[in-house]
Amino acid sequence: MTLIHFDAHLDFAFPEVKDVRLILDEARNLAEIKSQLEKAILFRRKKFREEALTDMGNYIYPAMRDGIIKEFYWVIPGDIGEFRRCRGIMKRILESLRKEDPCSPGAFPSFKPGFTETRLYGRPFYIVVMDTLPAVDGPVLLDIDTDFFTVDSLKNADPAVQIARRKVWMETDEFIGAIRRKIADPRFTTIAHSVNGGFVPMIFKTIADELAAALGYREQGLKARLTAGEYFRKFREAFDGKDFGSAKTCYREALKLNPAYNVPDNTYGPLYLRAGNYRRAEKEWQGMLLVNGDDGNALSGLGYIRLARKKYREAGDYFSAALRMKPEHKESLAGLAEAEYRLKNYAKAKDLIAKFERLEPMQDFSRYLTGKILEKTGQPQAALTSYKEALQLGMDDVDLLTRLVRLSRRYEKTNLDYLKKRCEERRKSYLRLEKRILLKKGNTTEVKRAEE
């Protein structure tokens, strides 16, 4: 069917772990075959399910691969003027996809007002805004990510932009009216809350439920979720006004109706931490502890601030307090492992990171930290294996690449051609995005280290 995808993000990415047949069919050179087969072997050896690679950031790829989608419309936020202002971002996205696409997409597309047409993975692919989305008569897969409503431009698609300042730029009734005019047969509709990771601020969690209700979805818990959302908005208003007594009351009422509000993203702390604004992150989490003294996410967040400030013993105290409340709190296990590593307690760090990895087997951080521990304890070849796994599982970090190059020169020179390519890709990404951000923060030391 035709997919119409309303989102501030594409949610399509070519995976580096594929079925062996696809690797051999789609790889464009020997280095790609080698790196992708190594990842496939890692997945087989660790007994990871390939399906577990599919997440909210790439699920459109397997749908295209398996023939579910015949053509793909990506409807981005904003009007025709905003489309024009974001043309550079869209060009970079298309250039990146073309480098990986095993199916020739043809000539680079030209951009018309609010519209561009090309091919992606052998299917027709269009980027449009609501005003330029054509009327579609046939059956449609309607896919709505609610960050479409709270991100007014692709320039602001990163969750760490406009923290605590997001607003709804298009009302749901206007959106529903346009949908009914343009899509005659929405055969299957998916709606994502997108609050995990801060893509949609938690105060807007009810947008998804409002859309579902307007589209005719009827479910027993819908009314309770909408009421819970009203209580959560009141909680946030009281929280911002430092009325923590009222905030506590409203938060408890929200949780009674919808326990899904008890998550790390119930404050802006994670986003402020990610943006390097430790003062604001601290205020968010200290305030949350006044509302709920048992909030392990807030304690863990305060631990990560101490880690960033190199106060490793204090960080360990916060992580330990969170783990006393919830012994399998994954973020706290990872944080405490790093704190113990920094304090040179390598045996403790190794035990903690192994426990974290049992809970979260398909992630890169545990392999990276394990590699650093192995290096410190005189096992460089074992460290190289761990670092390679971290890279294969998605880590793209300057320090990791540096360690891989240094150890590969000693123990695995056949890996250097692939690493050279990865370093060049990392350098381009850094020059395009991160350098500007680091300089804006005045972090010249980090800029120098990254460039070296």
Side-chain angles (χ1 to χ4, degrees):
M1 295 184 194
T2 296
L3 168 67
I4 301 182
H5 174 66
F6 290 88
D7 198 344
H9 304 86
L10 179 58
D11 292 348
F12 179 100
F14 289 104
E16 296 202 47
V17 179
K18 303 177 184 176
D19 179 86
V20 172
R21 180 185 55 80
L22 278 176
I23 292 172
L24 297 175
D25 285 348
E26 297 183 357
R28 290 153 305 170
N29 54 58
L30 197 59
E32 275 189 18
I33 291 176
K34 180 179 183 293
S35 67
Q36 290 181 11
L37 284 175
E38 282 182 348
K39 291 177 187 181
I41 290 166
L42 170 68
F43 267 62
R44 296 269 177 95
R45 184 160 50 84
K46 298 285 185 180
K47 297 182 179 177
F48 294 154
R49 292 182 306 109
E50 192 177 326
E51 292 82 3
L53 287 166
T54 303
D55 58 37
M56 65 181 290
N58 66 11
Y59 59 90
I60 293 174
Y61 164 80
M64 297 269 271
R65 178 198 65 201
D66 296 344
I68 292 169
I69 295 166
K70 71 173 183 180
E71 59 178 352
F72 176 12
Y73 286 87
W74 179 24
V75 190
I76 65 171
D79 56 13
I80 291 174
E82 193 57 45
F83 186 97
R84 184 182 66 252
R85 288 186 284 275
C86 293
R87 190 160 53 187
I89 295 172
M90 288 181 276
K91 281 184 175 179
R92 287 195 293 272
I93 290 170
L94 290 175
E95 284 167 358
S96 176
L97 289 169
R98 290 166 80 85
K99 287 177 185 175
E100 297 185 71
D101 197 335
C103 307
S104 175
F108 198 83
S110 59
F111 281 77
K112 299 171 185 175
F115 186 93
T116 189
E117 176 182 359
T118 183
R119 294 185 76 80
L120 177 62
Y121 206 32
R123 310 285 196 281
F125 174 48
Y126 312 91
I127 308 177
V128 298
V129 292
M130 179 66 93
D131 289 341
T132 56
L133 174 67
V136 181
D137 293 328
V140 161
L141 297 168
L142 176 58
D143 186 35
I144 306 166
D145 189 313
T146 55
D147 73 359
F148 177 84
F149 298 87
T150 60
V151 176
D152 57 1
S153 167
L154 291 185
K155 294 177 181 177
N156 299 324
D158 190 305
V161 174
Q162 295 183 324
I163 302 171
R165 294 184 288 115
R166 299 274 190 197
K167 294 179 180 176
V168 172
W169 71 273
M170 176 182 267
E171 296 298 330
T172 53
D173 56 352
E174 180 188 354
F175 176 84
I176 294 294
I179 288 291
R180 287 182 170 144
R181 288 193 303 274
K182 299 196 175 207
I183 302 174
D185 184 11
R187 189 65 57 87
F188 193 87
T189 300
T190 47
I191 307 174
H193 289 278
S194 253
V195 291
N196 292 348
F199 290 92
V200 173
M202 196 65 76
I203 55 170
F204 297 124
K205 184 176 173 68
T206 53
I207 289 176
D209 294 317
E210 290 162 10
L211 283 170
L215 288 167
Y217 177 68
R218 295 290 177 264
E219 188 248 341
Q220 192 174 359
L222 192 61
K223 186 177 179 182
R225 293 203 301 271
L226 290 168
T227 306
E230 292 172 17
Y231 276 116
F232 190 84
R233 278 192 287 272
K234 290 175 183 175
F235 148 75
R236 189 67 220 192
E237 287 172 11
F239 188 96
D240 289 337
K242 295 183 171 57
D243 181 359
F244 295 110
S246 297
K248 180 184 288 191
T249 301
C250 292
Y251 183 66
R252 283 177 176 172
E253 292 300 319
L255 288 189
K256 281 181 192 173
L257 293 163
N258 188 356
Y261 283 105
N262 185 20
V263 289
D265 297 295
N266 58 15
T267 72
Y268 295 113
L271 293 181
Y272 282 127
L273 177 68
R274 177 176 159 180
N277 191 338
Y278 304 136
R279 184 181 62 84
R280 294 297 295 270
E282 176 104 16
K283 284 178 70 175
E284 288 286 303
W285 281 318
Q286 293 288 12
M288 195 64 207
L289 288 174
L290 293 174
V291 172
N292 176 17
D294 294 332
D295 194 310
N297 296 312
L299 288 167
S300 185
L302 293 169
Y304 277 103
I305 292 173
R306 270 57 184 183
L307 267 186
R309 289 177 169 160
K310 300 182 180 179
K311 296 181 178 179
Y312 303 124
R313 293 192 188 282
E314 287 183 33
D317 290 342
Y318 276 112
F319 293 130
S320 297
L323 288 167
R324 281 195 292 274
M325 293 176 186
K326 187 178 178 183
E328 294 191 342
H329 191 262
K330 291 177 284 193
E331 293 80 7
S332 296
L333 282 168
L336 185 57
E338 185 168 354
E340 295 291 2
Y341 166 78
R342 298 289 183 181
L343 292 167
K344 300 183 180 179
N345 298 325
Y346 301 128
K348 279 187 183 179
K350 193 172 182 181
D351 287 344
L352 287 160
I353 207 65
K355 187 174 182 181
F356 169 69
E357 192 172 297
R358 283 195 293 274
L359 296 170
E360 280 286 340
M362 266 188 57
Q363 44 70 47
D364 47 35
F365 172 74
S366 64
R367 276 76 174 181
Y368 172 59
L369 187 57
T370 298
K372 293 204 291 185
I373 294 167
L374 289 166
E375 275 203 90
K376 289 290 186 183
T377 54
Q379 302 171 74
Q381 286 179 278
L384 176 58
T385 300
S386 279
Y387 291 144
K388 283 178 67 178
E389 288 187 9
L391 188 71
Q392 289 162 357
L393 289 166
M395 183 172 278
D396 188 23
D397 179 82
V398 171
D399 184 67
L400 173 66
L401 289 169
T402 303
R403 290 169 183 270
L404 273 165
V405 170
R406 174 168 46 78
L407 291 173
S408 294
R409 278 177 172 158
R410 289 175 62 192
Y411 301 110
E412 196 173 337
K413 290 184 179 178
T414 56
N415 203 34
L416 289 173
D417 284 343
Y418 173 66
L419 287 173
K420 186 175 182 180
K421 180 186 171 191
R422 289 297 296 258
C423 287
E424 182 58 30
E425 289 171 354
R426 189 70 181 80
R427 176 178 165 275
K428 287 177 182 175
S429 169
Y430 163 77
L431 290 172
R432 188 173 70 244
L433 298 171
E434 295 167 50
K435 183 176 181 179
R436 179 165 39 88
I437 295 167
L438 289 168
L439 287 173
K440 195 173 179 181
K441 292 179 184 175
N443 199 337
T444 53
T445 304
E446 183 64 19
V447 167
K448 185 178 178 183
R449 185 187 77 85
E451 288 186 344
E452 286 174 353

